[in-house]
């Protein structure tokens, strides 16, 4: 199974309301991995409203706390923004 399909399946499983609340709670407690996941969910609109600004917030927070994958996603979003201007 390629990485993209696996990630899609994983995010679908994680998108139940109770699970999302727990992930958001751990993000708010400072867990960078949870903030990265919240960014992914919010960016894709899986289980939560799709919100680009909020996804950037979660990625920024995760990046600040040391999650390099979140830093990469944030950079991609910023590049996409600059291309659309």
């Amino acid at each position: 199974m390629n990485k993209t399909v696996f990630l899609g399946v994983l995010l679908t499983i994680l998108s139940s309301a109770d699970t999302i609340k727990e992930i958001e709670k751990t993000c708010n407690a400072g867990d960078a991995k949870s903030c990265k996941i919240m960014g992914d969910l919010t960016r894709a609109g899986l289980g939560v409203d799709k919100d680009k600004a909020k996804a950037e917030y979660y990625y920024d927070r995760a990046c600040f706390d040391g999650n390099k994958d979140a830093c990469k996603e944030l950079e991609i979003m910023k590049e996409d923004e600059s291309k659309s201007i």
Side-chain angles (χ1 to χ4, degrees):
M1 185 180 318
N2 73 31
K3 188 176 180 179
T4 305
V5 172
F6 176 75
L7 181 60
V9 171
L10 178 62
L11 291 176
T12 301
I13 293 168
L14 291 174
S15 64
S16 75
D18 290 338
T19 304
I20 291 171
K21 287 179 185 177
E22 282 302 312
I23 294 168
E24 187 172 24
K25 185 177 177 180
T26 56
C27 170
N28 290 334
D31 181 64
K33 185 182 262 186
S34 295
C35 290
K36 163 63 167 76
I37 292 169
M38 284 303 301
D40 293 339
L41 294 173
T42 305
R43 185 176 180 188
L46 292 172
V48 295
D49 290 336
K50 188 174 184 175
D51 185 331
K52 189 175 181 180
K54 201 168 189 179
E56 286 181 359
Y57 163 79
Y58 286 123
Y59 286 141
D60 185 59
R61 187 168 178 174
C63 180
F64 181 81
D65 288 336
N67 187 298
K68 291 179 178 156
D69 291 332
C71 297
K72 290 175 190 174
E73 293 300 329
L74 187 59
E75 185 177 325
I76 290 167
M77 289 183 78
K78 298 285 184 181
E79 286 175 5
D80 289 347
E81 261 179 31
S82 67
K83 289 178 185 176
S84 65
I85 294 176

